């Protein structure tokens, strides 16, 4: 079976068969690059990259546009290069977590291609996003909630998360089955708790 077709099938197994709207396509085209174009720019064979994706040595595409273009982050190959190559990437990546089960779960999430919640996907940004979302949720129950000092702390956390995360698109809410972390920890928090002036 043609590798591109196999990759599209795997993508839909992971993400479901949700339609991409014109707005989704526009967002994805602005935030991501076409796999074949990235490969041409970096001197790689697209089928070799598709094999690595199917073998779980590189992440699946982040999106399939409505024209079936395989959309990937511009820095798709950066982590593999940091690790010393795709064959070393899994061990290098999972070693960033002290708990092997957590490392394995994060690797599964990474190679699924569903880490579209970060502008740049690295072990460091994954950990920081988790820390920030946990801190934002817990800040809402702090004893001084509503005070100026609390508001400053909360909004510093929200601003940092905002800098890490892209806007997301409607397709993401379908494939994730609900609101995104930006919806709950950035937009909703800012709407409910305006900055104290």
């Amino acid at each position: 079976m043609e590798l591109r077709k196999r990759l599209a099938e795997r993508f839909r197994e992971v993400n479901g068969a949700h339609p991409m709207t014109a707005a989704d396509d526009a967002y994805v085209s602005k935030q991501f690059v076409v796999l074949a174009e990235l490969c041409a720019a970096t001197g790689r064979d697209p089928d070799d990259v598709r094999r690595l994706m199917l073998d779980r040595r590189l992440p699946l595409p982040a999106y399939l546009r409505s024209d079936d273009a395989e959309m990937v982050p511009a820095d798709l190959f950066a982590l593999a290069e940091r690790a010393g190559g795709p064959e070393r990437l899994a061990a290098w990546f999972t070693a960033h977590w002290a708990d092997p089960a957590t490392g394995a779960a994060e690797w599964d999430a990474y190679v699924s291609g569903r880490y579209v919640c970060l502008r740049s996907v690295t072990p460091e940004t994954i950990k920081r996003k988790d820390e920030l979302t946990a801190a934002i949720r817990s800040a809402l129950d702090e004893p001084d909630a509503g005070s100026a000092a609390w508001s400053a702390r909360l909004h510093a956390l929200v601003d940092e998360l905002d800098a890490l995360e892209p806007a997301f698109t409607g397709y993401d809410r379908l494939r994730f089955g609900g609101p995104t972390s930006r919806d709950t920890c950035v937009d909703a928090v800012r709407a409910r708790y305006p900055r104290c002036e």
Side-chain angles (χ1 to χ4, degrees):
M1 184 187 302
E2 181 190 344
L3 286 170
R4 186 167 178 165
K5 183 177 178 186
R6 284 177 52 203
L7 191 61
E9 287 176 357
R10 175 77 62 81
F11 177 88
R12 289 186 178 99
E13 286 171 13
V14 169
N15 293 287
H18 307 293
M20 288 283 282
T21 66
D24 294 330
D25 282 345
Y27 169 83
V28 168
S29 295
K30 184 177 177 184
Q31 301 288 330
F32 296 85
V33 297
V34 176
L35 175 62
E37 293 172 8
L38 180 63
C39 288
T42 58
R44 291 175 169 87
D45 179 271
D47 277 345
D48 289 344
V49 174
R50 290 179 184 114
R51 278 186 201 90
L52 290 170
M53 290 175 168
L54 289 166
D55 290 343
R56 295 174 40 91
R57 291 204 239 156
L58 283 176
L60 293 175
Y63 299 89
L64 290 183
R65 240 177 14 201
S66 63
D67 62 359
D68 283 333
E70 302 149 319
M71 304 302 291
V72 297
D75 65 353
L76 175 66
F77 306 115
L79 283 190
E81 289 168 0
R82 276 178 65 188
E87 65 284 348
R88 296 181 178 175
L89 180 57
W92 175 87
F93 185 98
T94 57
H96 284 80
W97 283 268
D99 174 35
T102 302
E106 292 294 353
W107 174 253
D108 287 342
Y110 173 69
V111 293
S112 77
R114 291 166 57 106
Y115 253 123
V116 296
C117 56
L118 293 165
R119 295 179 196 277
S120 177
V121 182
T122 67
E124 296 84 6
T125 58
I126 291 167
K127 287 179 173 183
R128 189 60 185 148
K129 179 203 168 210
D130 288 346
E131 292 165 357
L132 288 167
T133 55
I136 290 165
R137 289 180 179 122
S138 105
L140 304 179
D141 296 325
E142 289 177 359
D144 65 339
S147 71
W150 172 86
S151 178
R153 288 192 314 272
L154 175 68
H155 284 281
L157 295 168
V158 170
D159 291 347
E160 187 179 348
L161 182 61
D162 184 20
L164 288 178
E165 292 194 332
F168 293 96
T169 189
Y171 175 85
D172 294 319
R173 291 165 185 94
L174 293 175
R175 73 167 154 185
F176 297 131
T180 66
S181 54
R182 169 171 284 284
D183 295 333
T184 59
C185 291
V186 177
D187 298 338
V189 171
R190 284 178 172 164
R192 186 170 177 194
Y193 305 101
R195 291 175 197 272
C196 290
E197 297 300 330

